[in-house]
Amino acid sequence: MYEKYVNLSFKPSRNQLITTLHLEASNIKHAAGGVAAESSIGTWQEVTTEKSYMKKLAATVFSMKKQDKGTEIKIAYPPELFEEGNMPNILSSIAGNIFGLQELKALRLLDIDFPKSIIKSFKGPELGIKDIRRLLKIKKRPLVGTIIKPKLGLNSKDHAKVAYEAWIGGLDLVKCDENLASQKFNKFETNIKETLKMLEKAEKETGERKIYAPNVTAETKEMIRRAKLVKEKGGNCIMVDIITAGWAALQTLREENQDLKLILHAHRAGHAAFTRGKYGMSMLPIAKIARLIGVSQIHTGTANIGKMESGEEETQAVNSFLMSKWFSIKPVFPIASGGLHAGYVPKLVSLLGNDLIIQAGGGVHALGTRIGATSMRQAVDAIEKEIPLQEYSKTHKELKVALDKFGYVR
Amino acid sequence: MYEKYVNLSFKPSRNQLITTLHLEASNIKHAAGGVAAESSIGTWQEVTTEKSYMKKLAATVFSMKKQDKGTEIKIAYPPELFEEGNMPNILSSIAGNIFGLQELKALRLLDIDFPKSIIKSFKGPELGIKDIRRLLKIKKRPLVGTIIKPKLGLNSKDHAKVAYEAWIGGLDLVKCDENLASQKFNKFETNIKETLKMLEKAEKETGERKIYAPNVTAETKEMIRRAKLVKEKGGNCIMVDIITAGWAALQTLREENQDLKLILHAHRAGHAAFTRGKYGMSMLPIAKIARLIGVSQIHTGTANIGKMESGEEETQAVNSFLMSKWFSIKPVFPIASGGLHAGYVPKLVSLLGNDLIIQAGGGVHALGTRIGATSMRQAVDAIEKEIPLQEYSKTHKELKVALDKFGYVR
């Protein structure tokens, strides 16, 4: 039943959606066909209700390549299977029930090639890399930022003070942590009131434009209310936890952003629940989905550096995609974050390039926020001036403090 | 740094949120402390920005029990860490970054004990088990249903005809499949127009109330528009893919349902991406989250029967929770679905009880929809009359057709 969904001589047309998956199973052809069947028009039985007019909607496994472990398969989907502009619907097919099939031993969605018709049904980012660089007047260097730490517990005034110190120290971007929303110790309204006041002050004092990314993650309508409030109060950016909030709400927020024109900073808290195991998906499809819906910047990994698990090649592949030309969908800033400090900056830039936002939390605030912030800015300045970090630290004491504390990682 | 978040003599108070996790790591204490730190107020460094007033917000690992493989740990969270009524925020802490920590070899969230203060900040189901039984006038037996098959491709008229045949055959509930939304071959508007017309006809002819669960999964506002349309056209139920739509949108839909008072049928397409591997969570926390937000019925598993992977004990634990008393949150119907047929019904009921919705797709439509539907209804009728299935099939020919085709599984 399932095996009729496998046809290795099938040539997909350019208008089809193609997925690439890593599959392990004792009967590969049966399992691969099962994945194609259950994600298009088939089930475990021939049904009497099938009509001849629907046969053209079947998905087809058209490639099966044996790997050292398991098999890489490719499936072609006719675009008519999906509702255009409806990401949850598309994912319910191509990344839905398939992971639960009894006969699998592993199944990971490695990549999705969206056809033009589906790409055109989404808006992509309102603001992309170029817009953000224009706002900040930063031509080439990576942006540097911090996460306010401790991640939870600071009251609104202390929270705003930390942000101020970070901007004054030289950072471009300050963000809330992924689990700050509107808790009693720091309500959203007072948080943005206090912190945006400090943003204005820091901009005046440094003569530089700065970004503040308050976390609006909440139920959809409340999230939109918070986004509007940020706009109203003069903010330029919002952050959203795209995995725990979910795709339907992200689409809604993106729609609103047509008018708000805020930078949409995407945090991926929770992704490793499905990017790290034998079942689930890689970061690349998540990045594609997020870019298509329309985030401006997204956490993608740190290329095997820091406190969070993330492979070097995977981060490079994801980041390259985010920056690449993709029909009319604007390029998006990748964000490296998690256990970073000034001593990692040259390696990160050599691995991941200049179109990158480098964020350090503990690596900034462990030194005293202002010192830590300055050390990060000096690290990117040194790269721009093509001066080795240790050389530069001789005349830049904050960078020296950072290197003395954390070391320099080549 | 991380280890100070472990205190095995700590006794959590009743107002704390408790998580239970399966952890594998080379240094258990360090990794466990890392999970507690990164999900509350800590990071990989001591930071100079910490204030004494926030120390009470730290999470604490208060139990570590070595298992055959790995360790079961329990973490207590002060409720002030979370924004009440904001599920994405709560999950960004307790099921967010933790899965990505470098030092882990496995991390699964097995259970969440929500304290009363958080439970009371959610509404739970508008309609629960009792409301649905009252609507259908079915006192005790399990409900039986089907998924319209083929899952995609039928036009609206043919789709409605399949639904009609299923209801006439004796089924209580007909649902769309998880990947039907509003595709060109069957637009949402014509789908509900045609199918609700058939619902009315089937109700008149059978004298029974019937449920139709059209899939409203989409961007949040569109999802709500579709839900309102269902209400307007006389429908009594909507289905949503809770994982691919996401928690923020589900909360928004639940808010709207305060007025709409529709049965909220929750499909879990995509769950196995994180319920099946070494990282992620079990079905129990997902069921708790969904019940707390307010679904009326949710797919939970088939107790190791059928085409989808699902353990017997896990399904039993999840279903027991859904039916249990839980402050003022109404009990919710568990749904068993995926590769089922009439021959499995007695075993399912003996394993999972009467408060259960049993759905068969291929197991109905492979026989011809009406025959398959009748076979399912006869199977639950036989149980209610306490007559063995094979005995009952001697006088009930549709049941006999099913048992002859699929066999009888004790």
Side-chain angles (χ1 to χ4, degrees):
Chain A
M1 172 60 208
Y2 282 161
E3 296 186 11
K4 72 178 189 184
Y5 288 84
V6 179
N7 176 0
L8 299 181
S9 57
F10 179 83
K11 298 266 176 289
S13 76
R14 280 181 60 190
N15 70 4
Q16 293 190 306
L17 184 150
I18 312 286
T19 59
T20 306
L21 302 107
H22 172 84
L23 171 67
E24 295 172 32
S26 43
N27 181 339
I28 289 290
K29 192 176 174 190
H30 183 254
V35 171
E38 295 281 349
S39 57
S40 61
I41 61 170
T43 187
W44 63 289
Q45 285 284 323
E46 293 284 355
V47 294
T48 57
T49 43
E50 191 170 302
K51 302 282 175 184
S52 58
Y53 64 74
M54 66 175 45
K55 292 214 168 132
K56 61 182 192 296
L57 292 176
T60 307
V61 179
F62 66 93
S63 166
M64 301 202 299
K65 276 186 201 157
K66 216 162 155 31
Q67 311 280 303
D68 282 353
K69 199 179 177 190
T71 303
E72 188 187 281
I73 66 166
K74 284 181 182 283
I75 302 178
Y77 294 88
E80 297 81 8
L81 278 174
F82 312 109
E83 182 184 354
E84 292 177 357
N86 184 343
M87 190 56 79
N89 169 253
I90 296 169
L91 295 178
S92 288
S93 276
I94 65 172
N97 274 358
I98 58 171
F99 300 113
L101 289 173
Q102 188 86 258
E103 46 264 86
L104 304 175
K105 288 179 184 157
L107 185 68
R108 282 175 60 84
L109 178 61
L110 304 175
D111 199 1
I112 308 169
D113 282 316
F114 292 101
K116 193 175 167 183
S117 63
I118 288 177
I119 292 171
K120 287 176 88 83
S121 70
F122 292 90
K123 293 199 174 73
E126 182 65 31
L127 302 174
I129 293 179
K130 278 188 187 169
D131 304 297
I132 297 168
R133 287 199 173 280
R134 197 176 301 127
L135 170 82
L136 294 174
K137 299 193 178 76
I138 297 171
K139 288 213 173 105
K140 199 188 146 215
R141 68 162 171 87
L143 311 190
V144 277
T146 192
I147 309 101
I148 294 177
K149 298 280 179 185
K151 48 198 304 150
L152 293 180
L154 288 170
N155 65 36
S156 303
K157 286 234 183 242
D158 287 334
H159 177 97
K161 266 184 218 158
V162 175
Y164 172 75
E165 291 290 312
W167 285 315
I168 288 288
L171 294 180
D172 307 302
L173 179 147
V174 172
K175 68 178 270 287
C176 295
D177 224 327
E178 76 284 352
N179 47 8
L180 185 64
S182 188
Q183 284 93 327
K184 281 169 193 150
F185 55 80
N186 187 6
K187 299 292 282 184
F188 188 79
E189 279 73 13
T190 52
N191 169 359
I192 59 165
K193 186 180 147 225
E194 297 295 337
T195 314
L196 289 174
K197 201 158 61 180
M198 287 298 132
L199 178 99
E200 214 186 315
K201 186 166 146 70
E203 285 189 338
K204 269 187 196 146
E205 288 172 22
T206 60
E208 295 179 339
R209 292 300 304 272
K210 303 289 185 184
I211 295 174
Y212 177 48
N215 187 354
V216 299
T217 304
E219 172 276 321
T220 323
K221 287 185 176 175
E222 179 59 20
M223 187 148 70
I224 287 165
R225 194 189 67 80
R226 290 179 190 178
K228 286 180 176 168
L229 199 65
V230 169
K231 184 70 182 183
E232 202 182 299
K233 301 290 179 196
N236 49 26
C237 179
I238 50 173
M239 165 171 153
V240 59
D241 297 343
I242 61 176
I243 305 296
T244 58
W247 303 118
L250 184 65
Q251 281 199 243
T252 315
L253 191 64
R254 169 62 186 93
E255 289 299 321
E256 292 292 328
N257 205 31
Q258 187 84 359
D259 297 326
L260 299 175
K261 303 198 187 305
L262 295 165
I263 296 165
L264 223 164
H265 180 109
H267 196 286
R268 59 174 184 158
H271 75 93
F274 53 89
T275 56
R276 205 173 174 178
K278 286 197 159 195
Y279 296 87
M281 62 180 85
S282 308
M283 191 56 208
L284 183 59
I286 299 172
K288 287 191 170 182
I289 293 162
R291 181 177 172 191
L292 200 51
I293 293 176
V295 306
S296 306
Q297 36 191 243
I298 179 169
H299 292 241
T300 63
T302 46
N304 210 19
I305 287 168
K307 71 179 173 182
M308 309 300 274
E309 187 266 345
S310 83
E312 190 175 306
E313 280 176 31
E314 180 171 25
T315 311
Q316 287 174 326
V318 172
N319 290 13
S320 295
F321 163 76
L322 287 175
M323 297 181 278
S324 67
K325 188 170 158 49
W326 199 31
F327 296 92
S328 59
I329 307 290
K330 288 181 177 180
V332 163
F333 258 120
I335 303 163
S337 189
L340 303 182
H341 54 67
Y344 281 136
V345 169
K347 183 162 185 192
L348 277 168
V349 176
S350 81
L351 286 172
L352 303 175
N354 274 308
D355 276 339
L356 182 67
I357 300 174
I358 305 172
Q359 295 177 172
V364 162
H365 308 293
L367 307 175
T369 303
R370 195 182 296 207
I371 295 169
T374 307
S375 75
M376 289 292 291
R377 177 66 176 269
Q378 288 168 346
V380 290
D381 288 347
I383 294 169
E384 207 171 18
K385 292 173 182 164
E386 295 180 14
I387 300 170
L389 216 57
Q390 274 167 321
E391 180 73 21
Y392 202 69
S393 74
K394 288 176 189 162
T395 53
H396 292 83
K397 66 176 193 296
E398 292 85 357
L399 183 57
K400 186 167 186 316
V401 171
L403 300 188
D404 286 351
K405 167 109 181 167
F406 301 121
Y408 170 34
V409 183
R410 260 168 251 265
Chain B
M1 172 61 207
Y2 282 160
E3 295 185 13
K4 72 178 187 184
Y5 289 84
V6 179
N7 177 0
L8 299 182
S9 57
F10 178 83
K11 297 264 177 289
S13 75
R14 280 182 58 190
N15 70 4
Q16 294 191 307
L17 184 150
I18 313 285
T19 59
T20 307
L21 303 107
H22 172 85
L23 172 67
E24 294 174 31
S26 43
N27 182 337
I28 288 290
K29 192 177 173 188
H30 183 255
V35 171
E38 297 279 351
S39 57
S40 61
I41 62 170
T43 187
W44 63 291
Q45 285 283 321
E46 293 284 354
V47 293
T48 59
T49 43
E50 191 169 304
K51 303 283 176 186
S52 58
Y53 64 74
M54 69 176 43
K55 291 211 169 136
K56 62 180 190 299
L57 293 177
T60 307
V61 179
F62 67 94
S63 166
M64 300 202 301
K65 276 187 201 155
K66 214 161 158 29
Q67 312 279 304
D68 281 352
K69 200 182 177 190
T71 303
E72 189 186 283
I73 66 167
K74 284 181 182 281
I75 303 179
Y77 294 87
E80 297 81 9
L81 278 173
F82 311 110
E83 182 184 355
E84 292 178 355
N86 184 342
M87 191 56 79
N89 170 254
I90 297 169
L91 295 178
S92 288
S93 276
I94 65 172
N97 274 358
I98 57 172
F99 300 113
L101 288 174
Q102 188 86 257
E103 46 265 85
L104 304 175
K105 288 180 183 157
L107 186 68
R108 282 175 60 85
L109 178 60
L110 305 175
D111 199 1
I112 309 168
D113 281 314
F114 292 100
K116 193 175 166 185
S117 63
I118 288 177
I119 293 170
K120 287 178 85 84
S121 71
F122 292 90
K123 294 199 174 75
E126 183 64 31
L127 302 174
I129 293 180
K130 278 189 189 169
D131 304 299
I132 296 167
R133 286 199 175 280
R134 197 175 305 127
L135 171 80
L136 294 175
K137 300 194 177 82
I138 297 171
K139 287 214 175 106
K140 197 186 149 221
R141 69 163 171 87
L143 311 189
V144 277
T146 192
I147 309 101
I148 294 176
K149 298 280 179 186
K151 46 198 303 151
L152 293 180
L154 287 170
N155 65 35
S156 303
K157 286 231 183 241
D158 287 334
H159 177 96
K161 266 184 220 159
V162 175
Y164 171 75
E165 291 290 312
W167 284 315
I168 288 288
L171 294 180
D172 306 302
L173 180 147
V174 172
K175 68 179 269 287
C176 296
D177 224 328
E178 77 284 351
N179 47 8
L180 185 66
S182 187
Q183 283 93 325
K184 281 170 193 148
F185 55 80
N186 186 5
K187 299 292 282 183
F188 188 79
E189 279 73 10
T190 50
N191 170 358
I192 58 166
K193 188 181 146 225
E194 297 295 337
T195 314
L196 289 174
K197 200 158 61 181
M198 287 298 133
L199 178 100
E200 213 187 313
K201 185 166 145 72
E203 285 188 338
K204 269 188 198 146
E205 288 172 20
T206 60
E208 296 179 336
R209 293 301 303 272
K210 304 289 185 183
I211 295 175
Y212 177 49
N215 187 354
V216 299
T217 303
E219 173 274 323
T220 324
K221 286 185 176 176
E222 178 60 18
M223 190 149 67
I224 287 165
R225 193 187 70 77
R226 290 178 190 178
K228 286 180 176 167
L229 201 64
V230 169
K231 184 70 183 184
E232 202 182 297
K233 300 288 179 199
N236 49 25
C237 179
I238 50 172
M239 164 171 153
V240 58
D241 297 344
I242 60 174
I243 304 297
T244 59
W247 303 118
L250 184 64
Q251 281 199 243
T252 315
L253 191 63
R254 168 63 185 94
E255 288 300 321
E256 292 293 329
N257 205 30
Q258 187 83 1
D259 297 327
L260 298 176
K261 303 197 187 304
L262 295 165
I263 296 165
L264 224 164
H265 180 109
H267 196 284
R268 60 176 184 158
H271 74 94
F274 53 89
T275 56
R276 204 172 175 179
K278 286 195 159 197
Y279 296 87
M281 62 180 84
S282 308
M283 190 58 207
L284 182 60
I286 299 172
K288 287 191 171 185
I289 294 162
R291 181 176 170 190
L292 199 51
I293 293 176
V295 307
S296 306
Q297 38 191 241
I298 179 171
H299 291 242
T300 62
T302 44
N304 212 18
I305 287 169
K307 70 180 173 181
M308 309 300 273
E309 187 265 346
S310 84
E312 190 175 306
E313 281 176 31
E314 181 172 24
T315 311
Q316 287 173 326
V318 172
N319 290 13
S320 294
F321 163 74
L322 287 175
M323 296 181 277
S324 66
K325 186 167 159 52
W326 199 32
F327 296 92
S328 59
I329 307 290
K330 288 180 177 180
V332 163
F333 258 120
I335 303 163
S337 188
L340 302 182
H341 54 68
Y344 281 136
V345 169
K347 183 162 184 190
L348 277 168
V349 175
S350 79
L351 287 172
L352 303 175
N354 273 309
D355 276 338
L356 182 67
I357 301 174
I358 305 172
Q359 295 177 172
V364 162
H365 308 293
L367 307 175
T369 303
R370 194 182 295 209
I371 295 168
T374 306
S375 75
M376 290 292 290
R377 177 66 175 269
Q378 289 168 345
V380 289
D381 288 346
I383 294 170
E384 210 174 15
K385 292 175 185 164
E386 295 180 15
I387 300 170
L389 217 57
Q390 274 168 322
E391 180 72 23
Y392 203 67
S393 75
K394 287 177 190 162
T395 51
H396 293 82
K397 66 177 195 294
E398 292 85 357
L399 183 57
K400 185 167 187 313
V401 172
L403 300 189
D404 286 351
K405 167 112 179 162
F406 301 122
Y408 170 36
V409 183
R410 260 166 252 264

